[in-house]
Amino acid sequence: MSILPEKVELKTPEQILVMRRSGALLHRVHEMLAEAIRPGITTNELDDLAHAMIRDEGAVPNFLGYHGYPATLCISVNEVVVHGIPDDRRLEEGDIVSIDGGLIIDGWHSDAARTHIVGEPRSVADRELVRITEDALWAGITALATADRVGEVGAAIEDFVADAAGDSLSHLEGFGGHGIGSAMHQAPDVMNYRTRSRGPRVRPGMCLAIEPMLIQGPGNWVLEPDDWTVRASAGGRAAHAEHSVAVTAEGLLVLTAGDGGAAELARRGVVAARDPLASAGE
Ligand code: MF3
Ligand code: CO
C-alpha cells in the first residue's frame, strides 16, 4: 500500500467513444447469452459462444489469460458468487447463473455482468435476490450522477440493499468494482458499501465498473482450491450485476447498456449523456 492514491486515468471524448463501442459489443454478447441460456446447456458451451462472437467481431476477450484465468467468461452458478470457471456442468431449471464478461476494442476495455434464472425461479427469494442486485447496481449508477466523491457510490448501494432487503442479503465483503479503461482493473476501487475512504473526486473522463455482489443470508465465503471460484459458505445463493459507466461533461453514459443507460436513468430522474454511437452513425 502506498500513501499516495493511485492516479485515475481520465479519458478524452474520443477515447470514451471507443469505450462505448467496446461496451456496446459486450452488451450484444450478453444479449446473445441471454437467448442461449436454457436447461441442459453447459457453462463451457456458453463460454465458447461468447469467445466465438467476440473474435468474429474483431475484438479480444480480456478475462482469458488474465493472471492465468482460463476462460472468456466467469460463470457463477447458485452458491458461487463470482469468478466461477466454466465447465461441463449442465444448467438446470431454477439455477441462478451470473455471467461476467469483458472485451477489448482498440485497446479499450469493457466489463459487465448479468444474473439470469434458468426458466422458473425456485423461490420468491431467488427472484428478489436477482431483482435487488440489479436495482442496487442502478442505485449506485444513479448516485454517481450527482456524486462529489467515488465513495458515495458504495454508500448508495449499501443503503439501497439495506432498505430493500434488511439483513436477508449480505454484500460479498472484500470485493468491489474498479476503474476501467486502457486496462480492465484500474484505480479507483469502487466498493459496494461504506468504507473509511471518501475516494477520489468524480470528474469528467472517469470510467468505473460498478458491480454489486449479493448473497442470501450471511456473507461468509471461501475461495475454492482452483484459486478463482468464490463460494458462499453459509448456504445462501448469490447474484452479481455490473456495468461499465463513463462520467462525461454532459452526464453519465452507461457504456455496457444497449441504450447507454437512458431508460433506466430516466426512471430514476437522471438524464443520460447523448450516446456518441448514435452520432457516430454506428
Ligand atoms: N469482472 C471481473 C472483476 O472485475 C473480472 C474477473 S477477472 C478474471 O472482478 F480473471 F476472472 F477474468
Ligand atoms: Co469488474
Side-chain angles (χ1 to χ4, degrees), residues 158-219:
E158 177 181 321
D159 289 345
F160 176 84
V161 174
D163 273 3
D167 55 11
S168 69
L169 298 180
S170 301
H171 293 280
L172 178 67
E173 256 182 77
F175 290 77
H178 46 91
I180 182 165
S182 61
M184 176 162 56
H185 290 142
Q186 301 182 325
D189 288 332
V190 185
M191 298 315 286
N192 295 313
Y193 41 81
R194 281 187 182 77
T195 66
R196 295 179 55 166
S197 163
R198 292 188 300 167
R201 206 169 278 287
V202 175
R203 296 175 59 190
M206 188 178 250
C207 295
L208 303 177
I210 302 176
E211 48 180 321
M213 298 157 240
L214 294 172
I215 304 168
Q216 295 170 338

Side-chain angles (χ1 to χ4, degrees), residues 246-272:
V247 178
T248 81
E250 285 80 42
L252 294 187
L253 179 66
V254 182
L255 298 162
T256 49
D259 64 352
E264 290 292 335
L265 286 172
R267 284 182 54 200
R268 292 162 177 85
V270 177
V271 180

Side-chain angles (χ1 to χ4, degrees), residues 19-70:
M19 288 196 63
R20 174 63 177 136
R21 288 173 48 220
S22 180
L25 174 57
L26 182 56
H27 166 75
R28 290 201 288 120
V29 171
H30 273 294
E31 292 286 291
M32 177 277 293
L33 292 166
E35 289 289 314
I37 197 164
R38 57 182 159 75
I41 196 164
T42 69
T43 54
N44 266 338
E45 286 166 342
L46 292 170
D47 196 75
D48 289 345
L49 286 171
H51 188 266
M53 180 168 172
I54 291 168
R55 284 298 188 183
D56 285 351
E57 297 284 344
V60 178
N62 51 4
F63 289 17
L64 188 62
Y66 180 84
H67 293 280
Y69 187 73

